């Protein structure tokens, strides 16, 4: 069983897209959610992380089969 901890991500149609830091200039062409952003008037990275044009972009982590959460106290 593969376990992954995700800090910033979004699930669309059962597929997890995680925001990760990449050490090169930001390019929406390399973001797994570019097609989704092209259909909106905003950038999903701005909605989730509060910034755009950083070194972060979404990558496709695959289909989600089970979600477990920890309670914050």
């Amino acid at each position: 069983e593969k376990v992954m901890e995700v800090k910033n991500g979004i699930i669309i149609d059962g597929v997890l897209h995680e925001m990760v830091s990449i050490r090169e200039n930001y390019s929406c062409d390399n973001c797994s959610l570019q097609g989704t952003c092209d259909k909106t008037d905003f950038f999903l990275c701005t909605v989730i992380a509060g910034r755009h044009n950083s070194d972060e972009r979404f990558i496709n982590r695959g289909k989600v089969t089970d979600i477990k959460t920890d309670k914050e106290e």
Side-chain angles (χ1 to χ4, degrees):
E1 178 180 319
K2 184 178 176 183
V3 177
M4 177 187 299
E5 182 176 329
V6 177
K7 302 256 185 231
N8 289 316
I10 187 169
I11 298 171
I12 299 177
D13 295 329
V15 176
L16 172 64
H17 300 267
E18 183 179 13
M19 182 177 276
V20 297
S21 250
I22 297 179
R23 294 180 188 196
E24 54 190 72
N25 290 333
Y26 185 90
S27 170
C28 291
D29 293 338
N30 294 325
C31 181
S32 66
L33 293 179
Q34 179 192 10
T36 303
C37 285
D38 287 346
K39 298 174 188 172
T40 65
D41 292 332
F42 55 88
F43 295 104
L44 291 168
C45 57
T46 304
V47 173
I48 290 181
R51 59 193 170 278
H52 182 64
N53 291 332
S54 69
D55 62 347
E56 296 175 311
R57 65 183 61 112
F58 287 99
I59 59 171
N60 185 326
R61 293 289 195 193
K63 193 121 180 108
V64 175
T65 56
D66 189 20
I67 299 173
K68 295 181 180 177
T69 59
D70 293 330
K71 290 182 180 179
E72 288 187 23
E73 296 184 30

